[in-house]
Amino acid sequence: EAGVTQSPTHLIKTRGQQATLRCSPISGHTSVYWYQQALGLGLQFLLWYDEGEERNRGNFPPRFSGRQFPNYSSELNVNALELEDSALYLCASSFRTTGTSTDTQYFGPGTRLTVL
Amino acid sequence: ILNVEQSPQSLHVQEGDSTNFTCSFPSSNFYALHWYRWETAKSPEALFVMTLNGDEKKKGRISATLNTKEGYSYLYIKGSQPEDSATYLCAPSGGSYIPTFGRGTSLIVHP
């Protein structure tokens, strides 16, 4: 069974530009989560999509946005990039069988975003 | 967002040593706690999910316990092996159902 995939592996942008990160969940998973891991910090929750809808959002500015497509893949868009957006961005997917926080998340390898 | 503390931040042990780490979280409004193992250059891998006070889970040489009343979970590794070297993350979740990840405990097992 194929795992969660993310592209690109690395992305280099300059301040003010926009970045688009992509994630394909495990087949059959309807939920996709996005996390940011900045240097020295833990995984910070960004966004949760399920069945095409944004279900929850972390404490990030509106220039962090995304969407989920009908095939459950997802995009994370970061507008007006700032230096502090440099981080590892992880995507995870899960079933939404119980609708509770016991759903195990399966993580992708991440996209390393560098903002110069 | 929960306040999650993991200790120690890092740990060096010799092969064969047994070790344990702690995850502390607010005891109120608790729903579940996940433990993940994150090896360098790989993706975080789920180890356990626990929900009930007194829960104990085991997977090979790794086990975990949960105390929701006092707000902590312990992860134990018996007879550490070099392949156990990784960062171990705990992620409790509250009413929002979104897990809050701790900064992790980095374990290095020396042969």
Side-chain angles (χ1 to χ4, degrees):
Chain A
E1 179 185 89
V4 177
T5 59
Q6 292 186 244
S7 63
T9 303
H10 294 89
L11 189 58
I12 299 175
K13 294 285 186 178
T14 56
R15 284 179 61 187
Q17 285 189 313
Q18 179 196 42
T20 298
L21 288 64
R22 296 179 176 84
C23 172
S24 291
I26 290 172
S27 177
H29 287 187
T30 63
S31 275
V32 171
Y33 308 81
W34 287 96
Y35 293 89
Q36 180 198 67
Q37 188 189 39
L39 193 63
L41 298 179
L43 289 175
Q44 304 290 313
F45 167 70
L46 267 165
L47 290 160
W48 168 27
Y49 291 95
D50 182 67
E51 297 284 1
E53 302 281 334
E54 181 180 304
R55 301 296 182 181
N56 209 327
R57 180 181 183 85
N59 189 25
F60 281 84
R63 56 192 187 80
F64 286 85
S65 65
R67 54 180 172 167
Q68 187 178 34
F69 299 99
N71 66 355
Y72 304 114
S73 67
S74 177
E75 256 181 20
L76 174 68
N77 295 293
V78 188
N79 294 320
L81 284 165
E82 300 179 2
L83 297 178
E84 53 264 34
D85 297 333
S86 295
L88 178 68
Y89 290 83
L90 286 175
C91 166
S93 72
S94 75
F95 290 109
R96 277 286 279 161
T97 54
T98 63
T100 72
S101 52
T102 57
D103 297 326
T104 294
Q105 297 184 18
Y106 296 83
F107 285 84
T111 292
R112 174 75 61 184
L113 173 63
T114 301
V115 182
L116 303 175
Chain B
I1 296 192
L2 307 176
N3 183 24
V4 182
E5 298 287 336
Q6 288 192 248
S7 62
Q9 185 175 355
S10 65
L11 195 56
H12 290 249
V13 301
Q14 291 297 126
E15 182 175 353
D17 288 349
S18 293
T19 186
N20 65 86
F21 332 129
T22 305
C23 172
S24 301
F25 53 89
S27 56
S28 59
N29 202 27
F30 170 86
Y31 276 78
L33 183 139
H34 294 256
W35 279 100
Y36 289 84
R37 173 171 58 198
W38 194 358
E39 295 180 64
T40 302
K42 295 187 177 180
S43 309
E45 172 195 0
L47 287 173
F48 307 114
V49 56
M50 296 184 288
T51 57
L52 300 176
N53 185 47
D55 255 355
E56 291 187 28
K57 293 288 177 83
K58 187 174 181 181
K59 184 177 182 178
R61 294 177 292 97
I62 304 176
S63 60
T65 61
L66 177 66
N67 184 321
T68 61
K69 293 184 178 180
E70 297 182 37
Y72 65 83
S73 176
Y74 292 141
L75 187 79
Y76 301 91
I77 302 179
K78 183 178 178 181
S80 302
Q81 300 296 309
E83 58 264 31
D84 296 328
S85 296
T87 296
Y88 291 82
L89 302 171
C90 75
S93 55
S96 70
Y97 303 141
I98 300 298
T100 300
F101 283 81
R103 295 191 182 188
T105 293
S106 173
L107 173 67
I108 297 175
V109 182
H110 299 278

